[in-house]
Amino acid sequence: MMLDIPFAPDHDPRAFRDALACFATGVTVVTIAGPDGPMGMTANSFASVSLDPPLVLWSPARSSSRFTYFTTAHFFAIHVLPADQAALCARFTRGGAGFTGLKAEISETGVPLLTDVLARFECEMHATHEGGDHMIVVGRVQKAVLRGGDPLVFANGTFGRFLTEA
């Protein structure tokens, strides 16, 4: 049974957010070489844009204390997390441990790279676009790697996994 609860998104932001939460997303961690060392940010606003040229996007919140660093970084990497990496996701949320005590590789462009992820996209900044309380960051993929496994999924405020039917 579907509940039809009308609302105006600009007048009821909580209801709008709840409606958006019905859309399951993958979970990523975006990393950059920050001014004082490696930096990371969890993001579920990741999407493909183009195959030719290879472009992807993500959207950091303006309210983030790391916003300026991530929207001005020339190079960044987007890591798609596997289902068993919710703890890694939490490291890069507000108040998380970040890279403290975490081993990471460093790319040729100086970007910290997480290991044991489903996919990783090493990007060069292509463009940024205004997006309300977020900025839309488009990266041109310079290198991508992938491995098998189930993705970490976020919907209705909880983490889970996507299982294919047999």
Side-chain angles (χ1 to χ4, degrees):
M1 177 170 100
M2 180 163 176
L3 296 174
D4 188 7
I5 304 171
F7 67 93
D10 56 341
H11 296 298
D12 192 350
R14 181 73 245 174
F16 182 53
R17 188 177 178 112
D18 290 346
L20 291 171
C22 294
F23 182 71
T25 66
V27 181
T28 68
V29 171
V30 181
T31 59
I32 62 168
D36 298 319
M39 297 178 79
M41 180 186 294
T42 296
N44 67 340
S45 58
F46 170 73
S48 62
V49 175
S50 171
L51 293 176
D52 186 19
L55 302 175
V56 295
L57 70 77
W58 74 289
S59 302
R62 291 183 184 282
S63 61
S64 170
S65 62
R66 297 170 278 179
F67 176 80
T68 300
Y69 300 114
F70 280 85
T71 57
T72 60
H74 191 68
F75 297 101
F76 58 92
I78 300 173
H79 307 79
V80 178
L81 300 186
D84 63 352
Q85 292 285 4
L88 182 61
C89 165
R91 291 181 74 95
F92 295 99
T93 59
R94 188 176 316 230
F99 279 98
T100 303
L102 185 66
K103 290 184 181 180
E105 299 172 1
I106 303 297
S107 74
E108 294 173 6
T109 60
V111 175
L113 304 175
L114 303 175
T115 58
D116 298 325
V117 297
L118 288 187
R120 181 175 58 231
F121 303 90
E122 295 178 42
C123 303
E124 182 174 6
M125 180 70 74
H126 179 76
T128 59
H129 304 280
E130 295 297 321
D133 60 1
H134 284 65
M135 177 73 76
I136 300 164
V137 176
V138 180
R140 185 179 179 120
V141 178
Q142 304 294 310
K143 181 178 180 181
V145 296
L146 67 119
R147 69 174 177 90
D150 294 328
L152 181 60
V153 177
F154 186 73
N156 292 315
T158 60
F159 293 105
R161 82 185 319 134
F162 175 79
L163 299 176
T164 57
E165 292 185 27

